[in-house]
Amino acid sequence: MASLTKKKIWTAIIVVPPLIFLIAMGPPAVLILMVLLATYLGLREFYHLALPDSKRIERQVGMGLGLILAMIVSLGNGEIISPFFVLLLLVLSILFMVTSTNLSSTISSMGIMFFGIFYVGFLLSHVSLIRNLADGKQWVLFLIATVWAADISAFLSGSLFGRHKLWPKISPNKTYEGLAGAIVGSVIVALPFAILFLPKLEKGLCIFLAIGLGFLGQVGDFTESMLKRSAHVKDSGSLIPGHGGMLDRLDSFLFSAPFLHYSLLYLFKEAP
């Protein structure tokens, strides 16, 4: 356990500063490329996890469609999303007509393929949409800092004070105390961040966003735990030493990023 924790810490020390530097100093295109790379790796892990016996062409088509959707959303091409949905269903239908040898499992395989495209490709691309808003760079860093604070606080508070299981059939180690810690930790980090880098953000609205991000980050974590438990695996992959796979690092952002984007767009009227 101690060696695993050390590996996590060293990996974070090596990986996190360059990522933050690229987001903070790079143009929007850099973040879009990072999101697309993470989308590809996340989709590859998802289909390996959820469709381990599928044909290679099926997984490749799913990853390709997910990347195309992520690119469309990231670039803000909303007018072609509806036609893409039609194309998506058409391609999946033809694909499984050609590749399916056991029709009794076709509908479940198509559903899983479709879910992966939206679960990873669509949800994660909202990070790019946040970057396209006014003060988008600061908002992306706000998202990362708040969600990571929630994750760390959930782990610490759950380890130290966790007594009451939250949802043991999905994640036996998660507790109500950990969830409370996640929300408190997100608020503790979000407030000083906003004071320093988003001075126009009112404290009440900042707390609202922090609570939403902290809570939905944990929902994302539970969702991936449910998928992993269904597949009987501990981690989605082994890409990141001490941290598992890409999906294990992305899960907390998959619902929190859309929440922040739509809150800024429709509640706070932030414009591109």
Side-chain angles (χ1 to χ4, degrees), residues 50-79:
L51 292 172
D53 299 322
S54 62
K55 295 179 175 61
R56 184 178 180 184
I57 183 63
E58 294 171 354
R59 294 195 297 271
Q60 288 177 334
V61 169
M63 289 186 288
L65 291 171
L67 279 172
I68 293 171
L69 178 58
M71 190 177 300
I72 290 172
V73 175
S74 295
L75 296 176
N77 295 325
E79 67 276 4

Side-chain angles (χ1 to χ4, degrees), residues 235-250:
D235 296 317
S236 65
S238 57
L239 178 67
I240 307 172
H243 292 265
M246 180 60 69
L247 273 181
D248 293 314
R249 295 301 91 210
L250 296 178

Side-chain angles (χ1 to χ4, degrees), residues 107-143:
I107 190 168
S108 60
S109 297
M110 287 183 68
I112 293 170
M113 186 77 69
F114 193 77
F115 178 81
I117 291 168
F118 279 83
Y119 176 62
V120 182
F122 180 67
L123 294 180
L124 188 62
S125 61
H126 285 76
V127 177
S128 299
L129 290 180
I130 295 170
R131 180 63 176 85
N132 294 335
L133 297 174
D135 297 321
K137 187 184 299 183
Q138 291 91 321
W139 282 117
V140 170
L141 293 173
F142 176 84
L143 169 71

